[in-house]
Amino acid sequence: MTPISSQNGVSVKAEVGKTAQITMEAASDEIADLIIDSNTVMHRSLHDQPLRVVGSEGLYLHLENGQKFLDATGGAAVACLGHNNPVVKKAIIDQLDAVAYTPTIFYSTSAAEELCSLLVRGTNGAMSRAFICSSGSEGNEAAMKMARQYFVELEGPSTRRHRFISRKQSYHGTTLGSLGLGGHVMRRKIYEPMLSPAISRVSPCYAYRGKVQGESAEAYVTRLADELDVEFERVGPENVCAFVAEPVVGAALGCVPSVPGYFAAVRKVCDKYGALLIADEVMSGMGRTGYLHAWQSPFINTAPDLQVIGKGLSGGYQPVAALLASPKVIEVLTKGTGAFSHGQTYQAHPVGCAAATAVQKIVMQPGMMEHVRKMGMALEAGLRKHLVDKWYVGDIRGAGLFWGIEFVQRKEDKTPFEPSQQVAMGVHKLGMQEPWMISLYPGTGSVDGARGDFVLLAPPYTITPEDVELIVQKAAGTIDAYFEGFGVVSEKNGTIEVAQ
């Protein structure tokens, strides 16, 4: 090896090292300048700069300008334990000290194995394996692929099963597969030519708008199950892999829970035709409804064949979601190829798994779900007390700590506002201002994919009665203040006509 020479007693190697250090420091300064250039970020809007968060604690997010606002929605029903939880932060750091990343094609980690064991145990035997990914969209995509593979291995490569049935006004993700699965009109609109034609949709279980006058809950459920049965026959039951539905619909309808008996009824239809039942619990699962899994609640009480979870799984501390598979599905794959023909680079990421495990150990503590149900009842009572009689509130619905408020311009016939009025977004924007400083998650399209405004509330599971009172006060105050900007044109025979 050629020796390193020296000049005037100074090592050339040392000089090179010194120069490299100076260069790195200069580069770091330059990079720091680039990092704070928010114009390089592909924000949700290219025209508006979102508020910059610089700190967080519990229910609150702290802004760069010194303000703080109450995060009553946990983002998109994500932050189930609030912000800056020290136990979860420590779990992440401990995992980083061990290993940050390993490719699952070669290795496993105790972090992944502990999380999957915890998740499977929480289903009381209804599920037997867990596939860990990074988002709900990925989870639903994986569910579609596993359903297809299940029938390829069960019925052979020549199986005709490739179709899926989902529901109108549904949302299952933004990847092309999961977007095609959903029925959210506005999210699908510009991508329609690219979406799979092998998916059809039936009516959602949406009692506020779906039930006809005088119809009982039992008759409504029967009518929806019959509609699903007819759709199986229309597309050919031998072509259908699965029926996909959210036990409590989140962003597409605004916290709409299934009518009791609905999931048991659609389960029977799926079993009749040999199709799988997939429950999308990305938004409503992992304790959000007051039960670890929404399907475990008394108003559903029906286990699916495949289940997708996310959001509250890791509480936002890491991007984590999962697909849970039943023993029925896993048995077929085990006896067949013995593998799931799917995989991703960040599948079962150790740091994500460690964060999710820490979150779920808190969520699964004795008494936590009872607390969620208790605080949920208090939240419902407060919202109804302050808002149920207002002319602009059509419906208040939800379960656990997952509540939606739907707005109407005529209460008696449930007439929605026009999309051009941007009512839900207007309520949200007002809530982000003084004196309210509260986050209310806005949504649209609940009526027909375009019309229908609502806001969601999904506070942390750890809230206190005092927190509930504050959320109700701020939420109701914001909504009332917003609609003060609408003038009442006339009121005849209980009909209110309004103008903005």
Side-chain angles (χ1 to χ4, degrees), residues 125-142:
M127 303 291 160
S128 62
R129 299 271 181 157
F131 174 89
I132 310 299
C133 52
S134 302
S135 73
S137 297
E138 293 176 12
N140 277 310
E141 196 96 358

Side-chain angles (χ1 to χ4, degrees), residues 9 22 52 62 92 119 165 188 194 209 221 244 288 313 331-332 353 356 369 386 389 395 400 430 442 451 453:
I22 294 172
R52 183 178 291 158
H62 300 265
I92 292 171
L119 294 178
I165 302 173
R188 291 171 54 96
M194 303 167 66
R209 292 191 177 276
V221 165
V244 186
R288 180 53 64 188
L313 174 57
E331 181 182 8
V332 169
C353 289
M369 290 298 95
H386 289 277
D389 293 328
D395 193 29
L430 181 62
R451 298 180 304 154
D453 291 273

Side-chain angles (χ1 to χ4, degrees), residues 2 25 46 57 72-73 101 113 132 169 175 181 209 231 278 291 302 312 316 350 363 368 374 409 450-451:
T2 304
E25 289 174 353
L46 295 177
E57 191 68 33
T73 66
Y101 167 74
E113 292 168 3
I132 310 299
Q169 292 110 302
T175 56
L181 187 64
R209 292 191 177 276
E231 183 61 15
I278 300 176
Y291 296 87
T302 302
V363 170
M368 179 63 85
K374 182 178 179 181
Q409 61 174 317
R451 298 180 304 154

